[in-house]
Amino acid sequence: MIVGSTSLSTRFDPEDLRELIGAYHRAVAEVVAGFDGFVAKYMGDGVLVYFGYPRAHEDDPDRAVRAGLRAIDAVGRLDVKPVELQARVGIATGLVVVGDLIGEGSAQEQSIVGETPNLAARLQGLATPGSLVIAASTRQQIGELFDLEDLGPKQLAGFVGPQRAWRVLGESGKLSRFEALRSGRSPLVGRDEEVELLRRRWNQAKTGEGRVVLISGEPGIGKSRLTVALSEHIETEPHVRWRYFCSPHSQDSALHPFIVQLERAAGFSRDDTVEAKLGKLRALLMPGTRDDDDIALLSELLSLPSSAADLNLSPQRKREKLFDAMLSQLEAESRRRPVLTVFEDVHWADPTSRELLDLTVDRVRRLPVLLAITFRPEFQPPWAGRSHVTSLVLNRLDERDGATLAQDLAGNALTTDIVAEIVERTDGVPLFVEELTKAVLESAGQRDRVAAVTAKTSLTPLSVPATLHASLVARLDRLGPAPKAIAQIGAVLGHEFAYELIEPVAQRDERELQAALAQLSDAGLLFCRGIAPHSSYLFKHALVQEAAYGMLLRGRRQELHARVAAVLEQHFADLVDRQPELLAHHLTGAGDTERAVDQWLKAGRHAAARLAHLEAIGHFERGLATIEALPEGPARDGREAELQLARGLSLFTAEGFISAQAAEAYARAREVAEQLGNPRQQFMAVYGLWQSANGAGRIHDCRKLSNRLQQLAADDRDDELLLQAHHSAWATCMFSGEPSASREHSDAGRRIYDPDRHRLHRDLYGGHDPGTCARHSGALANWLLGYPEKGLELGREALALAERIAHPFSLAHALQFNSMLHLDRGEPELALQRLEAAEALAAEQRLGFVSEPQLLRGAALTLQGAFSEAVIRLREGLAGRFGATRMRCFGLARLADALIRQGEYDAALAAARDGLSTKEETGHRWWEAELYRLEGVALSGLNRLEEGQNALEEALHIAQRQQAKAYELRAAMSLARLWGEQGRRSEARELLAPVYGCFIEGFETADLKEGKALLDQLA
């Protein structure tokens, strides 16, 4: 625990004090808010901040020091003239029991147990205005991360002996936490093979065949030490070493490791002027700089005056040129001498640095560069498996190497038995061996030196002795029956519980209960926060709670759970409303199965309403597991159906409509609901199965399921169900190649829909608003049926409605389908505008897509004449989720079109026939006429004219059968063009003229303008 205490150093008149203290508290709070894992307590003109609670970090000491320095700066910048405000900060490190910081008076004071807060306060009093003073305990942990002034031993009130103190002057110039925290070089033991591997890779890299070594391992295993060992081995060879260090404080700072390395390489100092820094940067970059643009971009990166804004580059192009400028520096340096590049702690790298590192890994393949990248096991490197990349996993040391390391560190100061015990307790982690060995060396004079250290150590593997679990039951027994019983009741309540909850559950005399809790606290099994009846209790370790709970017999356990459930319902209704799963847990433990199942359902719905769908799924599954204890019958089946329906909906949200688990949940719900004869449950189950089939692009299945939905809605005569039955039908009919029926269903849906009454449908059915969907689906159907202006009108209505109801996913949905409409109308610029707006909204709101954006982009590029790029985009889109399922036929049609315009008729023919094959497998007939038309055009391009004419005639017949006037016009134009080229101009005109004549609007759209021009040519 790192405790920081800060206070004002200036006194004010009483009438101004309250306002000034408020400003001071806000300034400190704003600074501290940037460091997660702390608790702050504001009192009078001071602030007490605890780092390491409620979540600890390995770098909590330097977090605390950084926060203190920034707080001093923030307070000093407060504008409270004519008075100059300054803060003083004291920091100490140690074990603290932190209680509830809510309350007043003595209860709040006693909720913090330990001498560390007192030490921090005394150090704060020692500090001069505008300065920060730390204790020896903090000094030991921050190493050389900061520049310090030793204040020597100080006699502080409340402490027997003198306490050493240091004043923090600022951050040091150390780049690496490894260097700063472990400046003394520790022995390298048990890593001979690893070092030899690095040396071999270095020798290979020096010849110009660049190598990358990925070094992974848990914290403290020696990753950084290994890279230092390599540097030591090659220090006499001509080379340059570049080191990049990622930091947990900079994960949101773009290119932070690269910026720091550039500044260090250029030799920037704190006192340099802007002009001096620019001069140093130019001197550094000149050998590898190709033009002034590189200097401008790198100057801007380092926040120096730059002409980069005048380069007139798009953001993406500017980013590319910046990356290229940085990579060119690596190339230039490697031409002079081999480069060892070390990129440490990449698990903390910001996303932009990761992107540049990706490019670096590729670039070094052809350079005399060895790139060593270190990271922790949770990071999954994307570079493994490449021919120039080697993976190196550091394992823990075996007993012999662990003992060797401890002996090397200790010299002859420790006996063999003590070394053996150190090795046993540290489990082969070198850092733990070092720290424990040092701590044992410092414990001279204590009887059992290892035990004395491990009783106080905060290292996770050492904090709980191996024999703890076996001794817990005996300890509880020795306390006596009353404390033991109270511990068991507390274990039923949970890892943490309040006095006001255990009191009614325990049903004991108040004095007896408080005495038992005090005994448990005094024994170190419970931590107490506050004073009863406003106190709360925390088990020291999960093992303590488990041991106490495990001593309960089944009957007594159920009795206690039932009592807890009753108390919660009677006296803690607000808590049950906030955490319904709490009551569900105790009802389950009590064996009250029916009520438990209902409560798990309620808990899941509560979590889902707050978008915590993973938690919701867990609650629903707990309910389904609990329901097994109920007797078979309608009551059980009804509850199971509700749980499965709710689970399916959350699975859709969490995993998408292709979720196999969701489909299984809905299938089981349908089975149960049909046995019960419950029409609403049947409808919801079938609708879920329809969504699953639609998401996977199984239109054959969609047809059957949609028909069933319409039947169920008609039988029930419920317009809520009828709206969604139409919803399923307008989508199914469109994909089935029935635009007229799709329009009828979307028109019916628009008539039924009411934005207020059907608000919940956005969450219950597919995540989007049925009113907007009816409009943009109707827009596409109207275009296909030959009414492009009506389609445009409905598309605009869909966007307006989505914006009015302010539902982000519905708006993204509408934008994507409007993009498709503009593609159909031959308006690529408008299509891209709608697509880009959808992508921006999706990024801002973290939304998914309902269609593959690369397919839409590729189609727009085709219309703009960028055929090569269009093909690339379309192939990428076809490899995506939607490109492989519900949008596959669309993507293949657009790909065939782009390839035809490029003159690649063989590839176009293959794409069109792939689409026709997919159509047969899935039932996708929306783009059937187009696929046949494109097959015909491709065949004609290959001079297979008879086959081409047959395919075009088939396209014409299909479009006529589907009443798809838009596709009929395209097919007629393609066939007329073929006949015209064969000299059959009169037949061609007779074919095309009546099709063109069917249109009564949209004559400014691309297809109709093309049709008119072709008719004029054939005249």
Side-chain angles (χ1 to χ4, degrees):
M1 179 65 64
I2 294 82
V3 180
S5 175
T6 177
S7 74
L8 296 176
S9 62
T10 306
R11 299 298 175 185
F12 304 93
D13 292 334
E15 59 268 22
D16 298 327
L17 187 58
R18 179 174 299 178
E19 180 179 349
L20 291 169
I21 287 177
Y24 162 64
H25 282 175
R26 288 192 295 274
V28 175
E30 184 176 346
V31 167
V32 175
F35 298 84
D36 64 333
F38 69 90
V39 169
K41 174 184 175 184
Y42 299 88
M43 47 193 183
D45 66 347
V47 181
L48 190 60
V49 183
Y50 294 81
F51 283 85
Y53 178 87
R55 186 172 71 252
H57 303 82
E58 65 191 58
D59 58 344
D60 275 323
D62 47 293
R63 285 172 181 254
V65 175
R66 284 191 175 91
L69 291 172
R70 294 177 193 178
I72 290 171
D73 181 63
V75 171
R77 287 187 280 106
L78 287 175
D79 186 8
V80 290
K81 292 178 180 178
V83 182
E84 181 181 354
L85 207 61
Q86 291 180 303
R88 298 177 297 171
V89 179
I91 297 177
T93 303
L95 294 175
V96 175
V97 178
V98 182
D100 212 339
L101 293 180
I102 299 173
E104 298 178 355
S106 62
Q108 188 174 50
E109 293 299 322
Q110 292 189 19
S111 67
I112 305 168
V113 179
E115 68 175 14
T116 310
N118 185 38
L119 177 56
R122 298 302 179 190
L123 292 172
Q124 171 260 311
L126 182 66
T128 58
S131 69
L132 186 157
V133 176
I134 62 173
S137 53
T138 307
R139 167 68 184 89
Q140 184 179 8
Q141 297 195 42
I142 64 173
E144 298 179 25
L145 286 169
F146 300 89
D147 293 331
L148 305 173
E149 177 187 351
D150 189 349
L151 301 179
K154 299 291 181 181
Q155 190 64 51
L156 303 176
F159 293 87
V160 176
Q163 303 292 318
R164 291 203 55 185
W166 284 262
R167 179 183 291 116
V168 179
L169 305 177
E171 294 194 43
S172 72
K174 291 286 186 181
L175 266 178
S176 165
R177 283 182 55 80
F178 176 80
E179 290 177 336
L181 299 181
R182 304 175 68 194
S183 54
R185 188 78 73 229
S186 59
L188 185 65
V189 174
R191 303 298 189 203
D192 293 345
E193 292 182 8
E194 290 86 347
V195 172
E196 182 58 30
L197 173 63
L198 288 177
R199 294 186 65 179
R200 290 201 304 271
R201 294 295 177 265
W202 169 248
N203 290 331
Q204 292 167 343
K206 287 191 300 183
T207 67
E209 298 179 2
R211 292 291 185 267
V212 178
V213 181
L214 309 178
I215 306 172
S216 67
E218 60 189 298
I221 204 69
K223 301 182 293 295
S224 297
R225 182 66 183 87
L226 188 62
T227 64
V228 171
L230 175 62
S231 296
E232 292 169 346
H233 279 287
I234 65 173
E235 61 184 356
T236 59
E237 301 180 23
H239 74 284
V240 65
R241 184 180 68 166
W242 287 2
R243 302 184 72 184
Y244 302 86
F245 301 96
C246 303
S247 162
H249 311 294
S250 308
Q251 295 182 78
D252 298 321
S253 300
L255 294 174
H256 175 78
F258 292 93
I259 292 171
V260 174
Q261 194 279 333
L262 264 177
E263 291 176 338
R264 186 178 177 88
F268 287 4
S269 68
R270 295 174 182 173
D271 300 328
D272 281 345
T273 64
V274 169
E275 292 74 17
K277 289 182 177 180
L278 283 170
K280 289 181 176 180
L281 180 62
R282 290 191 186 98
L284 172 70
L285 301 181
M286 219 37 97
T289 300
R290 294 171 299 186
D291 54 44
D292 291 339
D293 289 358
D294 288 356
I295 295 179
L297 290 167
L298 292 168
S299 298
E300 183 181 61
L301 176 67
L302 300 182
S303 302
L304 297 172
S306 166
S307 60
D310 301 327
L311 296 179
N312 195 28
L313 298 171
S314 68
Q316 183 56 38
R317 182 58 184 147
K318 189 175 184 179
R319 182 188 187 92
E320 291 173 356
K321 282 185 68 68
L322 171 63
F323 286 177
D324 195 47
M326 299 181 78
L327 291 171
S328 71
Q329 296 304 309
L330 176 60
E331 288 191 8
E333 189 63 56
S334 68
R335 284 195 293 268
R336 298 170 56 202
R337 49 190 172 171
V339 178
L340 170 61
T341 301
V342 180
F343 206 101
E344 294 208 30
D345 295 325
V346 72
H347 50 275
W348 284 326
D350 60 274
T352 309
S353 291
R354 279 281 312 280
E355 187 176 344
L356 180 51
L357 186 57
D358 288 342
L359 298 174
T360 305
V361 169
D362 289 334
R363 188 70 65 93
V364 302
R365 183 197 299 265
R366 298 176 297 278
L367 302 174
V369 175
L370 174 61
L371 172 59
I373 302 174
T374 73
F375 51 89
R376 294 182 180 177
E378 62 268 21
F379 177 74
Q380 298 297 317
W383 316 290
R386 303 184 189 183
S387 60
H388 67 303
V389 176
T390 301
S391 295
L392 178 58
V393 179
L394 295 187
N395 297 316
R396 296 186 177 193
L397 302 179
D398 60 24
E399 291 183 7
R400 183 183 63 182
D401 288 335
T404 300
L405 177 57
Q407 288 165 345
D408 287 349
L409 289 164
N412 297 319
L414 299 178
T415 67
T416 303
D417 290 344
I418 292 179
V419 168
E421 190 170 356
I422 289 173
V423 171
E424 179 182 355
R425 289 175 179 268
T426 51
D427 202 19
V429 178
L431 177 61
F432 293 177
V433 174
E434 291 182 39
E435 294 300 322
L436 184 54
T437 302
K438 293 174 183 177
V440 169
L441 288 170
E442 293 168 359
S443 66
Q446 298 191 43
R447 186 173 180 182
D448 188 343
R449 299 170 69 180
V450 178
V453 172
T454 56
K456 298 177 181 179
T457 183
S458 61
L459 294 174
T460 301
L462 311 177
S463 58
V464 181
T467 58
L468 175 61
H469 192 274
S471 69
L472 286 174
V473 173
R475 291 187 64 195
L476 285 169
D477 284 338
R478 284 195 296 269
L479 287 175
K484 175 181 174 181
I486 296 304
Q488 291 172 325
I489 296 171
V492 171
L493 291 172
H495 187 58
E496 184 174 4
F497 55 89
Y499 180 87
E500 61 181 349
L501 180 56
I502 196 172
E503 182 184 30
V505 174
Q507 299 178 349
R508 301 290 180 96
D509 176 77
E510 181 178 338
R511 185 175 302 174
E512 179 187 351
L513 173 61
Q514 292 185 13
L517 289 168
Q519 282 183 270
L520 291 166
S521 298
D522 292 342
L525 296 175
L526 290 180
F527 292 135
C528 175
R529 301 171 178 174
I531 297 177
H534 305 296
S535 54
S536 64
Y537 301 86
L538 177 73
F539 280 99
K540 178 182 179 181
H541 195 279
L543 289 173
V544 179
Q545 181 195 359
E546 290 174 13
Y549 190 80
M551 295 168 68
L552 287 166
L553 297 176
R554 180 180 178 186
R556 176 61 173 163
R557 188 181 298 176
Q558 287 188 332
E559 177 190 342
L560 287 173
H561 277 296
R563 200 182 298 172
V564 174
V567 168
L568 287 172
E569 290 181 295
Q570 292 169 16
H571 304 293
F572 296 90
D574 58 333
L575 178 60
V576 173
D577 286 341
R578 295 193 309 270
Q579 301 178 49
E581 65 275 9
L582 186 61
L583 178 58
H585 165 72
H586 288 294
L587 289 172
T588 303
D592 192 348
T593 308
E594 285 191 14
R595 297 180 62 220
V597 170
D598 292 342
Q599 192 65 23
W600 283 121
L601 178 61
K602 183 178 180 180
R605 287 173 172 167
H606 182 269
R610 284 151 184 76
L611 304 182
H613 286 284
L614 293 179
E615 292 82 353
I617 292 165
H619 296 331
F620 297 137
E621 290 178 348
R622 286 287 302 275
L624 289 167
T626 305
I627 210 170
E628 296 296 325
L630 286 177
E632 295 183 2
R636 167 176 161 168
D637 291 345
R639 288 184 171 91
E640 182 182 359
E642 289 299 324
L643 284 164
Q644 293 286 14
L645 290 171
R647 176 172 169 260
L649 185 59
S650 283
L651 282 164
F652 271 159
T653 307
E655 300 178 3
F657 291 122
I658 60 172
S659 169
Q661 289 190 79
E664 292 170 3
Y666 282 116
R668 175 58 184 165
R670 180 183 187 182
E671 178 184 348
V672 174
E674 287 180 348
Q675 291 173 358
L676 286 172
N678 186 315
R680 188 195 65 81
Q681 289 180 342
Q682 288 182 64
F683 187 91
M684 296 295 294
V686 175
Y687 195 89
L689 291 171
W690 175 84
Q691 287 177 296
S692 179
N694 186 48
R698 303 191 312 272
I699 306 305
H700 289 310
D701 294 336
C702 286
R703 164 66 69 192
K704 300 172 187 174
L705 294 165
S706 180
N707 289 343
R708 178 60 177 153
L709 289 171
Q710 292 173 69
Q711 179 186 348
L712 288 167
D715 292 344
D716 198 67
R717 298 182 181 179
D718 182 341
D719 71 350
E720 296 273 329
L721 302 186
L722 189 59
L723 172 59
Q724 292 302 331
H726 284 305
H727 191 171
S728 74
W730 71 61
T732 298
C733 289
M734 195 67 179
F735 276 102
S736 297
E738 302 171 22
S740 181
S742 178
R743 182 174 65 176
E744 289 177 9
H745 285 290
S746 64
D747 287 346
R750 286 194 293 125
R751 288 192 294 269
I752 295 171
Y753 170 80
D754 178 86
D756 294 323
R757 194 157 57 91
H758 298 118
R759 180 184 300 272
L760 290 178
H761 284 226
R762 301 165 199 167
D763 299 320
L764 292 174
Y765 301 96
H768 66 277
D769 183 72
T772 59
C773 187
R775 283 163 174 78
H776 59 64
S777 294
L780 291 168
N782 272 282
W783 175 84
L784 197 50
L785 291 166
Y787 300 97
E789 295 307 311
K790 177 63 176 177
L792 187 61
E793 177 187 346
L794 284 171
R796 289 169 177 162
E797 285 184 17
L799 288 174
L801 176 60
E803 289 172 349
R804 187 167 70 250
I805 64 175
H807 189 248
F809 189 70
S810 297
L811 179 56
H813 202 257
L815 285 166
Q816 290 171 74
F817 276 90
N818 263 267
S819 179
M820 290 181 66
L821 176 64
H822 287 299
L823 289 173
D824 286 336
R825 288 171 55 89
E827 299 162 343
E829 290 76 18
L830 287 172
L832 286 173
Q833 287 179 20
R834 298 291 187 264
L835 175 60
E836 288 164 4
E839 289 177 317
L841 182 61
E844 177 188 349
Q845 298 287 342
R846 304 295 191 269
L847 304 173
F849 284 89
V850 294
S851 56
E852 172 53 55
Q854 291 291 59
L855 296 180
L856 301 179
R857 181 167 283 105
L861 289 169
T862 299
L863 296 178
Q864 291 180 326
F867 305 133
S868 296
E869 187 178 354
V871 169
I872 293 171
R873 299 283 189 167
L874 289 163
R875 291 195 187 280
E876 288 177 359
L878 284 165
R881 187 182 73 178
F882 290 114
T885 53
R886 65 198 301 264
M887 296 293 289
R888 184 164 182 77
C889 288
F890 170 83
L892 289 167
R894 292 296 187 174
L895 177 61
D897 184 28
L899 291 167
I900 285 169
R901 297 183 191 224
Q902 266 192 315
E904 297 184 30
Y905 297 112
D906 281 318
L909 180 61
R913 287 183 169 172
D914 190 357
L916 290 169
S917 176
T918 301
K919 176 263 303 182
E920 288 299 323
E921 294 170 5
T922 62
H924 276 232
R925 298 188 182 276
W926 183 344
W927 299 285
E928 182 180 15
E930 269 291 86
L931 288 165
Y932 273 112
R933 182 184 72 83
L934 292 164
E935 180 190 36
V937 174
L939 286 165
S940 299
L942 293 169
N943 206 32
R944 295 160 62 177
L945 301 181
E946 183 177 352
E947 294 176 79
Q949 176 173 315
N950 291 339
L952 291 172
E953 288 175 344
E954 181 65 16
L956 192 62
H957 295 325
I958 290 170
Q960 290 168 344
R961 186 170 66 247
Q962 292 182 354
Q963 299 178 313
K965 290 295 182 184
Y967 288 160
E968 184 182 357
L969 176 63
R970 289 184 182 178
M973 285 193 293
S974 294
L975 187 55
R977 194 173 288 111
L978 176 63
W979 285 353
E981 292 169 357
Q982 294 174 341
R984 302 165 61 184
R985 299 172 63 84
S986 175
E987 292 176 76
R989 184 172 175 78
E990 289 176 4
L991 169 70
L992 179 58
V995 178
Y996 179 85
C998 289
F999 286 84
I1000 60 173
E1001 63 178 57
F1003 294 105
E1004 294 304 312
T1005 57
D1007 285 346
L1008 285 165
K1009 288 167 72 174
E1010 183 182 347
K1012 178 64 167 63
L1014 183 55
L1015 283 171
D1016 291 342
Q1017 292 173 16
L1018 294 172

